[in-house]
Amino acid sequence: MDTDSHLIPAPRTTHQADAPNRLTPATTLHTAPGTEPLAALLRGTIGAATGLALPEGGGDGEGDGNTDRIVLRLDPDLPGGPEAYRLSTDRTLQNVAALVEGATPAGVFRGMQTLRQLLGPEAFRRAPVAAGRDWTLPGVTIEDSPRFGWRGLMLDVARHFMPKDGVLRYLDLIAAHKLNVFHFHLTDDQGWRIEIKRYPRLTEVGAWRSRTKWGHRASPLWDEKPHGGYYTQDDIREIVAYAAERHIRVVPEIDLPGHSQAAIAAYPELGNTDVIDTASLSVWDTWGVNPNVLAPTDNTLRFYEGVLEEVLDLFPEDVSPFIHIGGDECPKEQWQKSDVAQDRIRELGLGGENELQSWIIRHFDTWLSARGRRLIGWDEILEGGLAPGAAVSSWRGYGAGIAAAEAGHDVVMCPEQYVYLDHRQAPGADEPVPIGFVRTLEDVYRFEPVPPQLGPEAAAHVLGTQANAWTEVMENQSRVDYQVFPRLAAFAEVAWSALPAPAARDFADFERRMAAHYKRLDALGVDYRPPAGPLPWQQRPGVVGRPIEGAPPNR
């Protein structure tokens, strides 16, 4: 098998050489200035899997008489942006088994992922399965760079908590697919997952629910065990540092003013106390759109400013330039009945409840901007007017993203009809807890992040794209794996590679390359959906879902 012809995502250009190269027990690793931190990552992945020690070697290029080497070095003149790389395993490079050059350290790191794929699926294991062997590298020169600067995965840990080790594992998985944004959905009605020291009840109370709906909210089934968990501040620091080492940006999400019942359960004064008895609320145990939203009071604003002060400390600007504040699915009925909310609308001269939500979003946009960060929110933040510097996650389809881009706002395209990975992967009855539209591997591969109706100026506001994994019906890591993979591999190619128009994409070739990629996923221990359908233990017979028939609307 020619390993270089099975790369995912597909590189821009590949030039074949006459003869293969190899890594041997004598292979050394040289890190040129600026690439030194990458040595531990390469030894911890390729070194661990091959059993090669890869000791530090001398020289930074060709022909210095040393043994064969892996060389990592910077070449800021490489075209294609900061993540561009060139990987050469051409035997004509004297005493160099593999030369990985990047425009920045991030580019070198992306090239290291390609090098790992060239070595075969065994290079994705944590320890060698055959010690003492030589490792063949096809003789190639690959020049590559990404299409988009934002290539993300959103992981919802609020509905079902994923322990820290699982989050670190997912950072490794997205790094292996050349994704570079981890959207960390930390708070919702069903749980608050981040320690905030000045407000300890957010985790003492808000991180735990007494039971959980099993399946869609229409299901009669319940898991009666308490569920919860949260990340300590040191856990968060570890996750952020781990991501930064892998050149992954982290976008923390603190949801407001909707999706906030867990916070209100912990601090009832945050809710609309003149409408309902907020002290009687507990962390929500079912799914859907919750009517209990934050009150538009100065106390609420000060409270969330305090939350965000600690969030900004935990997520430094170089890793987390964007802070996500949610802004989606905020019912307005309580505000309509609240004298406090109505007084605020009159006081501010607003045109109604939508503009009241916009006022809250603008407040935090100004607050974040003053601290060097950018606000991003779900596309409902467009309703009632949006602050000029805010960015939009377009989830309800293309329409909001088009409107935002044409208005000069930066956009991340993540339409639910195409890249919501909680949606089912096939129409069969065996699919576990079938949710939403059928979104097959091919459907994801033919997703186009930039709508054709956008002109060049507006299209430049599309920062990139993101796949979203909402975990209402994903109760553990295995279920998350099943929903995310293998579709994340197709999404990664859409986000990275320069593909033709959707109808012209060669899905048959992608399927051919996936045959090798499934073996990589096996080596990584990923519980993906097999091409032939779910295995018996992956099914969930009798658990009610919410399938939607037909093709999704193109909106």
Side-chain angles (χ1 to χ4, degrees):
M1 179 176 71
D2 293 328
T3 315
D4 60 298
S5 67
H6 291 79
L7 297 175
I8 290 177
R12 286 184 180 266
T13 63
T14 300
H15 305 286
Q16 299 290 336
D18 291 335
N21 220 322
R22 63 180 185 160
L23 305 182
T24 73
T27 300
T28 60
L29 172 62
H30 174 75
T31 52
T35 67
E36 295 90 346
L38 297 170
L41 294 172
L42 194 145
R43 292 189 181 105
T45 52
I46 290 174
T50 60
L52 301 178
L54 303 175
E56 181 66 23
D60 65 352
E62 303 178 39
D64 66 355
N66 287 347
T67 57
D68 56 309
R69 291 162 294 144
I70 298 174
V71 176
L72 309 181
R73 72 184 183 198
L74 301 179
D75 180 356
D77 295 327
L78 280 176
E83 294 178 278
Y85 72 89
R86 180 190 298 118
L87 169 61
S88 299
T89 57
D90 189 336
R91 213 170 188 177
T92 61
L93 295 172
Q94 186 178 355
N95 299 322
V96 176
L99 172 61
V100 187
E101 300 170 288
T104 66
V108 176
F109 182 77
R110 307 298 173 225
M112 286 164 47
Q113 310 316 306
T114 302
L115 176 64
R116 193 180 185 192
Q117 290 196 22
L118 292 179
L119 288 166
E122 297 88 351
F124 288 81
R125 296 189 178 275
R126 295 187 181 184
V129 294
R133 59 173 277 195
D134 291 353
W135 291 78
T136 299
L137 284 166
V140 294
T141 295
I142 294 169
E143 296 179 336
D144 201 8
S145 60
R147 180 184 178 193
F148 292 109
W150 186 303
R151 307 179 305 281
L153 173 69
M154 190 285 301
L155 181 63
D156 167 19
V157 297
R159 273 49 177 269
H160 279 101
F161 178 66
M162 180 176 284
K164 180 194 69 178
D165 285 352
V167 174
L168 299 178
R169 172 178 177 265
Y170 256 83
L171 289 171
D172 282 332
L173 289 173
I174 68 176
H177 289 81
K178 297 190 176 74
L179 301 180
N180 69 342
V181 174
F182 178 60
H183 178 163
F184 205 6
H185 184 81
L186 288 163
T187 74
D188 218 296
D189 298 303
Q190 296 85 2
W192 185 284
R193 305 293 179 218
I194 179 172
E195 179 187 25
I196 302 297
K197 290 187 181 293
R198 75 186 69 185
Y199 302 127
R201 287 177 59 82
L202 286 172
T203 46
E204 291 171 358
V205 174
W208 309 93
R209 59 179 182 262
S210 61
R211 63 176 186 169
T212 299
K213 175 65 71 171
W214 181 234
H216 184 254
R217 61 182 176 272
S219 168
L221 304 176
W222 293 89
D223 180 347
E224 295 291 347
K225 297 189 301 293
H227 177 84
Y230 66 92
Y231 309 103
T232 68
Q233 294 205 348
D234 281 346
D235 290 338
I236 293 291
R237 291 186 180 98
E238 180 183 359
I239 289 167
V240 170
Y242 199 85
E245 288 175 346
R246 286 149 185 81
H247 298 275
I248 295 169
R249 283 175 285 156
V250 183
V251 180
E253 181 176 355
I254 305 296
D255 232 324
L256 61 93
H259 287 289
S260 298
Q261 183 162 319
I264 297 169
Y267 292 92
E269 65 272 21
L270 297 174
N272 294 285
T273 57
D274 61 339
V275 176
I276 62 163
D277 177 13
T278 57
S280 69
L281 295 177
S282 59
V283 178
W284 212 26
D285 56 12
T286 189
W287 319 123
V289 178
N290 189 303
N292 297 306
V293 303
L294 297 173
T297 64
D298 290 343
N299 176 66
T300 298
L301 299 182
R302 299 294 87 76
F303 183 95
Y304 275 86
E305 288 171 1
V307 169
L308 289 171
E309 283 177 3
E310 295 192 26
V311 167
L312 296 190
D313 180 62
L314 295 169
F315 295 87
E317 184 179 358
D318 59 337
V319 182
S320 301
F322 286 89
I323 305 296
H324 208 293
I325 50 72
D328 62 316
E329 296 180 327
C330 178
K332 308 300 192 295
E333 287 80 7
Q334 289 185 358
W335 288 353
Q336 291 168 355
K337 298 175 183 177
S338 165
D339 290 338
V340 171
Q342 293 303 311
D343 286 346
R344 176 125 279 182
I345 289 171
R346 285 189 290 270
E347 169 198 336
L348 297 170
L350 302 176
E353 290 76 23
N354 282 343
E355 289 191 13
L356 181 59
Q357 176 169 336
S358 177
W359 172 77
I360 295 172
I361 301 301
R362 284 173 177 266
H363 173 87
F364 286 104
D365 178 77
T366 300
W367 191 92
L368 288 168
S369 295
R371 289 155 181 82
R373 308 299 181 96
R374 290 189 64 189
L375 180 147
I376 185 169
W378 303 111
D379 57 51
E380 286 95 329
I381 68 174
L382 289 165
E383 298 167 2
L386 182 60
V392 173
S393 300
S394 185
W395 75 274
R396 289 180 294 179
Y398 286 115
I402 291 170
E406 289 179 339
H409 295 288
D410 288 338
V411 177
V412 176
M413 286 292 187
C414 49
E416 63 169 332
Q417 304 90 340
Y418 302 96
V419 289
Y420 266 36
L421 300 182
D422 50 316
H423 285 215
R424 57 195 172 129
Q425 302 185 63
D430 291 339
E431 289 301 309
V433 198
I435 297 295
F437 297 101
V438 172
R439 293 289 85 193
T440 66
L441 185 67
E442 181 172 2
D443 291 328
V444 175
Y445 191 67
R446 297 193 188 281
F447 165 60
E448 172 49 48
V450 180
Q453 58 265 53
L454 282 183
E457 184 176 350
H461 283 287
V462 178
L463 299 176
T465 184
Q466 181 173 290
N468 294 337
W470 299 103
T471 61
E472 287 94 334
V473 298
M474 303 180 211
E475 70 276 8
N476 55 37
Q477 178 178 283
S478 178
R479 279 287 292 121
V480 175
D481 280 4
Y482 180 93
Q483 294 298 133
V484 170
F485 290 99
R487 292 183 293 183
L488 193 71
F491 173 80
E493 184 149 310
V494 167
W496 177 279
S497 304
L499 299 177
R505 293 176 188 172
D506 190 347
F507 181 69
D509 178 71
F510 179 77
E511 280 192 306
R512 177 190 64 79
R513 289 181 284 125
M514 278 301 299
H517 200 67
Y518 285 120
K519 296 177 181 177
R520 298 177 194 129
L521 296 178
D522 286 333
L524 287 165
V526 176
D527 291 328
Y528 59 85
R529 181 189 187 276
L535 299 167
W537 54 88
Q538 293 174 320
Q539 300 171 20
R540 297 291 187 275
V543 180
V544 174
R546 185 183 63 92
I548 304 174
E549 302 304 329
N554 185 15
R555 61 187 186 199

